[in-house]
């Protein structure tokens, strides 16, 4: 038995994902995205952040065992 982040399991051949551990024992890794002042391509960065926070990103993220981010800042 091995305990890994869910996103690390699907790409491995011959491994069966049997489920997650109870929520009270879970460790949730939170990633953040921000547009920095001197970005070389701020419009592309904004589009990427908008996509990752959109419902369109849900299927590919869930396929890899991740969840769509929840925007915390209104633009």
């Amino acid at each position: 038995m091995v305990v890994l982040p869910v996103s690390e399991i699907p790409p491995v051949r011959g491994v069966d994902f049997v489920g997650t551990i109870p929520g009270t024992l879970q460790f949730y890794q939170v990633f953040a995205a921000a547009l920095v002042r001197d970005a070389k391509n701020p419009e592309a960065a904004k589009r990427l952040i908008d996509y990752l926070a959109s419902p369109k990103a849900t299927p590919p993220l869930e396929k890899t065992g991740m969840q769509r981010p929840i925007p915390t800042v209104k633009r």
Side-chain angles (χ1 to χ4, degrees), residues 30-42:
V30 178
F31 295 90
L35 183 57
V36 295
R37 181 180 7 180
D38 296 327
K40 291 184 180 184
N41 195 337

Side-chain angles (χ1 to χ4, degrees), residues 50-75:
D50 288 344
Y51 169 74
L52 290 172
S54 76
K56 290 170 65 174
T58 300
L61 288 171
E62 287 180 349
K63 185 177 180 181
T64 62
M66 299 176 79
Q67 295 178 351
R68 184 168 57 90
I70 301 167
T72 57
V73 177
K74 299 271 184 185
R75 294 188 207 136

Side-chain angles (χ1 to χ4, degrees), residues 21-35:
I21 58 177
T24 56
L25 300 174
Q26 287 284 355
F27 169 76
Y28 294 95
Q29 181 66 48
V30 178
F31 295 90
L35 183 57

